[in-house]
Structure formats: C-alpha cells, structure tokens
Amino acid sequence: MHRTPARVTGALFITATVAGVISAALLGGGTGSAHRQSAGALAVLVMAGAIAMIPAALFPVLKVYSESHAVGYVVARTVEVVLLLPAAFGPLILVAAGDGGPDPAVRSVLETQDTWGYAPAALFFCLSALLLNVVLLRSRLVPRWIPGWALAGVALYVTDAGLVMFGGLTTASPAHAALVVPLAVNEMVLAVWLLVKGFRAPAG
C-alpha cells in the first residue's frame, strides 16, 4: 500500500539524518577551516532540502486519515526548515568575512542564533513528529510500537529543547544526546521499515 510514497519518505528521512550528523560533526564548536565550515553549511542545506520534501511525499497518505493532521505536518516541517536555514547561512557569512571576521553586530546576531536557533527548530520538529505519529498510531499504517516509541521520544526531545533554551543544558552535553537519541533512532527505524515493508493496510 502506498509503496512509492513509503520508499521516498524512508529515503528522505535517512538523507536528512545523515546530512544532519555530518553538519553537526563539521560545524561543532563553531570553529574550523573555511572548507570545513562551507561543507558543514552545505550539509545543513541538504538536510533542510530533504526535510522540506518529506511532507510532500507523505501528504497524500496522511490526508486519507486526517487532513488536518496532514496540513499541520506540512506547516510544522516548513517552519522547521525556515528555522534551520540560518545554521547554514551563519558559517557561510563567517567564511566570506575572512580572517578579520564579520562586523561585531553581525557576529552578535550569529551568536544569538547559535544560542536560540536550536530550540525553536527542535520544537517544530517535535510538533511534526507528534502529528505524524498520531496518524500512524490511529491508522496502523505501520506497527503500533513504532509510533508509540516516537511519542515517548517526543516528550524527551521537548524536554531537551526547553532545557537548552533556558540554559539547563548545552547541545554538547551527554544529557542532550540521551534525550534526543531515542526519537532520532525511532525515525531511522521508521525509515528502514518504510523502505523494506512500506505502509500496510489497517487491520480490518
């Protein structure tokens, strides 16, 4: 059932995650060569592009079960992409500025983005995950343990976003990884399931 949308969605989830991991490795700490910064920015753009295409692939499937959830999913992921883009533009501005660095006002904006940019994007990601997995849970398009796991992971991810936003954690801390990994792994499990099994018809 819905074999092509399932495969496309699975591939896009994996592409977004791989690009996100690469960008984090390249841009971590905000330092590095110009080539490293540029490559990290490119990885962010690839991640954002993959995320932007996921709702288009899923919309025809989700709207059959809940058009409001399907539209909400498109909106949430679109806002997430918009919030992610400064993470690509910031490193490119630093590279373009050269050894002298950018204007102090520009640097202040970039530092603010580093501090506050993660949490809003994470919250919209969590909203999109909530909307998607509520539909998956109700429709039984995938085994119910997958969306059940995701909904538990959303709670942990929201907790992390709040703690990072208000200074309780940094994105470099082990606790941050512990809070975000369950949902990230779940997304990969869903992606592999969609590639291998696709969506299934609901139980009669």
Side-chain angles (χ1 to χ4, degrees):
M1 182 182 181
H2 305 299
R3 191 67 177 172
T4 298
R7 286 177 170 169
V8 170
T9 300
L12 289 171
F13 271 132
I14 291 172
T15 299
T17 298
V18 171
V21 170
I22 292 172
S23 70
L26 293 173
L27 298 175
T31 59
S33 68
H35 291 303
R36 185 184 180 94
Q37 294 286 304
S38 298
L42 177 60
V44 174
L45 291 175
V46 171
M47 175 179 66
I51 291 172
M53 289 187 286
I54 290 171
L58 279 175
F59 187 80
V61 179
L62 300 183
K63 74 175 183 178
V64 172
Y65 301 93
S66 175
E67 188 162 355
S68 62
H69 282 66
V71 171
Y73 185 71
V74 171
V75 172
R77 299 242 74 172
T78 300
V79 174
E80 179 192 354
V81 168
V82 171
L83 293 171
L84 284 172
L85 290 178
F89 298 148
L92 293 177
I93 291 172
L94 292 175
V95 169
D99 294 336
D103 179 89
V106 174
R107 181 172 289 280
S108 178
V109 171
L110 296 178
E111 290 173 351
T112 300
Q113 166 61 29
D114 288 341
T115 303
W116 292 94
Y118 164 77
L123 290 174
F124 277 97
F125 165 65
C126 288
L127 176 58
S128 71
L130 176 66
L131 292 167
L132 171 62
N133 285 284
V134 165
V135 175
L136 295 181
L137 187 66
R138 292 174 177 173
S139 65
R140 302 191 182 188
L141 287 169
V142 298
R144 301 187 76 181
W145 60 268
I146 296 179
W149 171 5
L151 294 175
V154 165
L156 295 176
Y157 215 113
V158 169
T159 300
D160 173 77
L163 289 171
V164 170
M165 180 178 288
F166 295 107
L169 284 179
T170 69
T171 54
S173 68
H176 164 72
L179 289 169
V180 303
V181 162
L183 185 56
V185 173
N186 170 267
E187 194 171 80
M188 290 301 91
V189 170
L190 174 61
V192 172
W193 181 277
L194 294 179
L195 286 170
V196 176
K197 298 286 190 178
F199 292 115
R200 66 185 189 184

